[in-house]
Amino acid sequence: MNTEEIHGLLAEQFGDAILELKTEAIDPWIVVSADKIVDILTFLRDDERLQFDHLNDLTAVDFLEPDEKKAKKFPYDPHLEIVYHLSSFGLKHRTVIKISVPRWKNDEPGSHPEIPSVAGVFGIADWHEREAYDMFGINFVGHPNLKRILCPEDWEGHPLRKDYDFPLEYHGIRGM
Amino acid sequence: MSMQVEDPRVIEFDVRTDEMLVNMGPQHPSTHGVLRLLLKTDGEVVSEVTPHIGYLHRCAEKIGENLSPPQWIPYTDRMDYLAAMNMNLGFSLAVEKLIGMEVPEKAMNCRLIIAELGRIASHLVGMGAYGLDLGSFSPFLYAFREREIILDLFEETCGARLTYSYMTPGGVTHDLPGMITIPPGLAQLTGHSPDMELEWKDAVLMFLEWLETRIREYHTLLTRNAIFIKRTAGIGILTPEMAKSYGCTGPVLRGSGIDYDLRRDGEEIYTRMYKGYNFEIPVAPFDAAPHGVELGDNWSRFYVRMMEVVQAIGLVRQGLEKYETAEGTYREGFKMGSKLPSDECYLETESPRGQMGFYIVGSGAAEPLRTRAKSSCFCNLSVTAPLCENTLLGDIPSVVGSLDIVMGEIDR
């Protein structure tokens, strides 16, 4: 089943929560609204026609160009995207679901954007969401154990954000 | 102060065991690298396992945002350092998918031969190290002896023994070599003179022929060994539902009975490499399984790997045969600073440990906006916590070892 047909099924089921369909990309994607993501992924997993039983990857992308000179040529507006790559073992098809959120909640630098956690739908989302929290500072609401996974627990900042400041020291260990 | 007990036998009933937290790792030998498991034990029974990772985190994804794709290839080597060739392949294909490049037949053929040899080397380590985890030392030595010859053959191909950077966007860096001096290990094992000169291809064929006869030996050493069966059969059972939910892939998934291999079921850009080749995909349950083996246990996962080695031998042989007639060149030009389109792509390939995914987002510059390496071991390891619940302490290395993890890939 291709992404247009999947989009059709989702739009029929969820209506306004399905925001955008992009077909001219290499991997076509569907943008959905954040507050419905748990229902949407559950539907994708359980529906007989779709059977998306494998969450290949869950990650985020920070669309920002911190360098002012380069920013003029930068083709995207500043925002964060959470990307879900799904596939089906039985039907052997693939799709991409995306959520787009502002970089900071209410545009206050430092306050983490909030997304419902899908750890209850796919077991692996637990660790992927912890990594996304660690690297991007996204607050997955309803996650059973939202702690840093790769960085130490007392690490400051979220390294994969584009405006991240590299620390000069960590517990007396000098860097750079 | 001494205490009087009326009946000494009462003490027996009064002894209670306390819950204890035990740290296993990060320097424990059977955790395969720097993995730390926090075990909550009550006597010998482990009630809870919490894996702590990140000791080998080297910010590979952040570095990837500041380098062009060919410059990032060496970083992929250092993820799964036991199957670096397959890591190179996964990332190169993802870049080719992003820029819409098709590599010539010859390049695909070289990639297939080398990637399958890499799979054999990786599974040999997986097998040897697993034997070591369970207290059997000899298979480890045999496995490394065999792997050494593959590393020698790789050294002749690209100059490196562990971190190859051999497959790059556009093809491979060198064509397969011509005449070489026989690898010392192979000369010794086959009884040839160490000064013997032969074609690289013939050296590979000679090695495969020799390896094939050894596989029966591994089966007697481990697969059919009564102690090994006792330690693996019926332990660490991963149900198909759990394997799906936790995103397990590769031999771990196929050990749970799900017939899915990206070499057959993957995207066209990857599967066309394997077009025209005959190979089977070993999936549990097996007819050859000894008594006590259940679907998705340690033994099944181990046996899938052993069977994949046999299939890989066949694939390399077919590849070498097709090499003679393969058309085109081994390398299509990829300009170092060429700009990436403002698009994105995600591609998974079947690496020996599972489906390794690379996600690249371009923004019109030479450096990608985001490079993401989705690790197969990361997902396979995440299942340890539910898998090790209420097992015996001694079975923890047996379960973790059967997942065949490499920490370099998990922590990136």
Side-chain angles (χ1 to χ4, degrees):
Chain A
M1 197 179 272
N2 63 28
T3 308
E4 278 126 21
E5 291 162 331
I6 295 164
H7 177 262
L9 283 178
L10 284 177
E12 191 184 299
Q13 185 78 14
F14 294 98
D16 291 346
I18 311 300
L19 303 174
E20 193 193 329
L21 166 70
K22 172 119 175 168
T23 46
E24 60 266 36
I26 299 171
D27 292 327
W29 69 74
I30 302 167
V31 184
V32 304
S33 125
D35 39 325
K36 280 273 181 227
I37 186 67
V38 178
D39 296 339
I40 290 168
L41 287 196
T42 313
F43 175 75
L44 284 171
R45 186 192 65 183
D46 295 339
D47 192 88
E48 275 303 308
R49 297 159 289 180
L50 298 164
Q51 294 180 28
F52 282 106
D53 45 8
H54 185 200
L55 179 66
N56 294 65
D57 191 15
L58 189 168
T59 191
V61 187
D62 186 9
F63 288 91
L64 177 78
E65 179 52 68
D67 190 330
E68 273 180 32
K69 269 187 196 164
K70 288 183 189 165
K72 283 176 193 155
K73 275 192 189 170
F74 192 66
Y76 307 102
D77 294 328
H79 68 286
L80 265 180
E81 271 179 14
I82 293 93
V83 191
Y84 304 81
H85 290 272
L86 296 150
S87 65
S88 164
F89 288 124
L91 302 175
K92 301 190 176 31
H93 54 196
R94 280 172 282 275
T95 194
V96 185
I97 304 288
K98 280 188 178 191
I99 297 175
S100 178
V101 287
R103 294 190 71 248
W104 301 109
K105 189 187 173 190
N106 305 329
D107 285 324
E108 288 168 29
S111 69
H112 296 156
E114 287 174 356
I115 305 282
S117 163
V118 295
V121 188
F122 293 102
I124 184 59
D126 182 338
W127 278 30
H128 279 324
E129 283 178 353
R130 276 177 71 186
E131 191 184 335
Y133 162 73
D134 190 357
M135 294 294 152
F136 289 93
I138 298 162
N139 189 5
F140 290 93
V141 180
H143 189 283
N145 179 29
L146 197 64
K147 284 198 288 198
R148 287 185 184 269
I149 189 165
L150 292 176
C151 293
E153 271 179 35
D154 58 353
W155 196 260
E156 277 174 27
H158 300 279
L160 282 180
R161 280 196 175 243
K162 291 283 181 183
D163 50 2
Y164 172 70
D165 284 328
F166 286 88
L168 297 173
E169 198 189 65
Y170 175 70
H171 288 287
I173 309 161
R174 273 194 294 159
M176 313 264 265
Chain B
M1 201 177 81
S2 65
M3 211 170 72
Q4 287 281 318
V5 183
E6 283 172 26
D7 183 355
R9 278 173 306 175
V10 174
I11 285 187
E12 294 267 343
F13 297 104
D14 238 20
V15 173
R16 249 170 276 148
T17 50
D18 265 339
E19 276 202 338
M20 191 162 75
L21 282 179
V22 180
N23 244 324
M24 188 170 155
Q27 288 96 359
H28 194 282
S30 69
T31 52
H32 293 246
V34 279
L35 166 66
R36 175 176 155 223
L37 296 171
L38 197 62
L39 314 175
K40 194 187 262 181
T41 62
D42 186 354
E44 278 291 305
V45 181
V46 178
S47 55
E48 204 183 308
V49 179
T50 321
H52 288 266
I53 62 173
Y55 292 91
L56 212 55
H57 181 49
R58 292 150 297 175
C59 324
E61 291 179 4
K62 187 77 177 174
I63 293 169
E65 292 175 1
N66 300 303
L67 297 176
S68 70
Q71 289 174 313
W72 201 57
I73 288 280
Y75 289 88
T76 61
D77 281 330
R78 283 147 184 84
M79 288 180 191
D80 186 350
Y81 41 80
L82 293 175
M85 287 291 190
N86 303 68
M87 293 281 122
N88 292 169
L89 176 64
F91 184 61
S92 302
L93 281 171
V95 175
E96 284 157 17
K97 183 180 171 188
L98 181 67
I99 60 175
M101 186 185 209
E102 282 199 15
V103 297
E105 198 189 333
K106 183 107 163 201
M108 284 200 286
N109 182 272
C110 291
R111 282 177 170 185
L112 181 134
I113 295 168
I114 297 293
E116 291 303 318
L117 275 174
R119 192 181 308 276
I120 298 174
S122 166
H123 282 338
L124 280 173
V125 178
M127 177 206 77
Y130 194 38
L132 203 60
D133 285 347
L134 302 178
S136 166
F137 203 85
S138 356
F140 182 71
L141 299 176
Y142 289 129
F144 270 69
R145 184 184 66 182
E146 268 78 294
R147 176 170 173 263
E148 187 65 23
I149 299 168
I150 300 183
L151 296 193
D152 282 339
L153 291 167
F154 281 171
E155 192 180 355
E156 294 289 349
T157 315
C158 63
R161 289 175 61 80
L162 207 61
T163 47
Y164 314 103
S165 305
Y166 176 63
M167 297 177 200
T168 56
V172 292
T173 57
H174 306 76
D175 201 354
L176 295 181
M179 294 297 278
I180 59 159
T181 315
I182 190 167
L186 189 61
Q188 201 186 10
L189 293 169
T190 51
H192 287 97
S193 151
D195 304 323
M196 185 186 175
E197 299 268 322
L198 78 172
E199 288 274 335
W200 184 86
K201 254 182 60 189
D202 296 332
V204 174
L205 288 173
M206 191 192 279
F207 166 69
L208 293 180
E209 197 177 320
W210 184 80
L211 180 69
E212 217 164 26
T213 58
R214 297 295 123 172
I215 287 173
R216 192 181 302 166
E217 195 174 288
Y218 307 147
H219 283 315
T220 33
L221 271 170
L222 284 178
T223 322
R224 310 246 162 257
N225 179 328
I227 302 170
F228 181 80
I229 293 170
K230 280 263 180 212
R231 297 284 315 267
T232 55
I235 294 167
I237 295 169
L238 179 69
T239 59
E241 291 72 36
M242 211 152 110
K244 279 181 191 171
S245 169
Y246 280 87
C248 296
T249 47
V252 179
L253 180 77
R254 292 190 285 277
S256 288
I258 296 169
D259 188 4
Y260 194 77
D261 188 317
L262 285 179
R263 287 177 290 173
R264 184 193 61 199
D265 307 319
E267 291 186 41
E268 205 270 333
I269 191 167
Y270 182 52
T271 49
R272 74 195 161 102
M273 245 174 77
Y274 289 89
K275 217 178 223 167
Y277 287 83
N278 288 323
F279 64 104
E280 283 167 23
I281 292 155
V283 183
F286 298 101
D287 295 335
H291 181 70
V293 168
E294 289 174 49
L295 184 70
D297 64 357
N298 296 345
W299 192 90
S300 301
R301 287 191 278 277
F302 170 82
Y303 198 65
V304 168
R305 286 191 195 99
M306 295 297 284
M307 290 288 104
E308 279 187 13
V309 172
V310 180
Q311 295 302 322
I313 291 175
L315 277 168
V316 176
R317 281 207 180 116
Q318 293 173 45
L320 287 172
E321 226 166 76
K322 293 192 185 190
Y323 178 75
E324 298 301 322
T325 54
E327 283 170 18
T329 125
Y330 63 92
R331 179 169 185 74
E332 196 108 298
F334 181 89
K335 244 177 95 195
M336 215 36 179
S338 46
K339 303 244 184 303
L340 300 173
S342 300
D343 204 340
E344 57 171 69
C345 84
Y346 180 72
L347 184 73
E348 285 195 348
T349 53
E350 190 75 30
S351 147
R353 286 177 178 72
Q355 299 174 12
M356 184 70 203
F358 286 98
Y359 176 52
I360 312 168
V361 183
S363 66
E367 296 83 20
L369 181 74
R370 171 101 168 94
T371 43
R372 155 91 171 148
K374 176 251 156 184
S375 154
S376 52
C377 296
F378 184 85
C379 305
N380 290 348
L381 180 69
S382 78
V383 86
T384 31
L387 211 55
C388 291
E389 250 170 51
N390 300 321
T391 54
L392 293 175
L393 189 57
D395 285 337
I396 302 279
S398 160
V399 175
V400 175
S402 77
L403 299 172
D404 192 18
I405 50 168
V406 164
M407 290 313 288
E409 191 193 312
I410 294 172
D411 292 343
R412 286 153 285 146

